Amino acid sequence: VMYQLLAGRKPFRDASEAVQARPQPLRAPRRLRGIVERCLRKEATERFATTDDLVRALERLVQPLPWPRTPAS
């Protein structure tokens, strides 16, 4: 569903294509693209083990990155 929301199309046309082909690459930020690609991996051991793991990855994605600290003058 995430792939379809981001790409505007399903990752595969049918079940046989899902077994044999890879989806077209997404045009999305690298970290988000990595999460979606991990969800679509063929081997179950390469996907997120639980939905909680997926939620944590998405939460990390939207957390602001820390600013570099500068020494106090």
Side-chain angles (χ1 to χ4, degrees):
V1 172
M2 276 194 302
Y3 182 98
Q4 189 171 356
L5 288 171
L6 293 167
R9 65 183 183 282
K10 293 181 180 182
F12 307 105
R13 285 181 284 213
D14 55 40
S16 65
E17 185 178 292
V19 172
Q20 298 171 9
R22 296 182 61 124
Q24 290 290 330
L26 279 176
R27 297 179 80 187
R30 182 178 51 88
R31 291 171 58 204
L32 177 58
R33 191 173 59 238
I35 291 170
V36 175
E37 288 172 354
R38 185 172 173 187
C39 290
L40 293 172
R41 293 207 178 131
K42 306 291 183 211
E43 294 294 325
T45 57
E46 295 178 1
R47 296 191 296 264
F48 290 98
T50 66
T51 54
D52 287 335
D53 293 341
L54 173 58
V55 167
R56 279 192 290 278
L58 291 168
E59 287 173 340
R60 283 191 304 271
L61 178 73
V62 297
Q63 289 177 348
L65 296 174
W67 286 92
R69 294 185 179 258
T70 55
S73 17

